[in-house]
Amino acid sequence: MMDIRLLAMAAALPLAACTQERPPESTPTPPTEMTCKADAAQSYIGQTATPDLGGAIVKATGARTLRWGPPRSAMTMDYRQDRVNVMYDDAYKITQVTCG
């Protein structure tokens, strides 16, 4: 017959492994917030929309991402403080620069 103490130790062994102290999890540092400032890009209104100009608008506004708004297109209503929106007309002339 098996000793009851041996049976109890065998049953408790897997549980002991679960109770070990673990080092605290390190929390990753959040990325630096990049907030869009649309006022800095209002001078681009009326210019022709090009990829290079889009890059200049991103740099001027401090945004992280750029979203082009072609004429008559649907856009999501989600707000992102790190995104600049550049709307343009059929002639590729920029009509509006906003954040969100």
Side-chain angles (χ1 to χ4, degrees), residues 23-84:
E25 293 183 20
S26 63
T27 307
T29 315
T32 305
E33 289 294 323
M34 299 181 81
T35 304
C36 174
K37 296 169 190 67
D39 292 342
Q42 297 307 306
S43 62
Y44 293 102
I45 293 175
Q47 295 186 34
T48 303
T50 64
D52 290 338
L53 191 62
I57 291 171
V58 168
K59 187 174 181 180
T61 60
R64 182 177 302 185
T65 58
L66 167 70
R67 177 167 63 168
W68 292 106
R72 297 172 301 285
S73 66
M75 295 174 74
T76 61
M77 296 300 291
D78 63 318
Y79 180 82
R80 292 187 43 195
Q81 68 183 16
D82 66 340
R83 178 174 61 199
V84 62

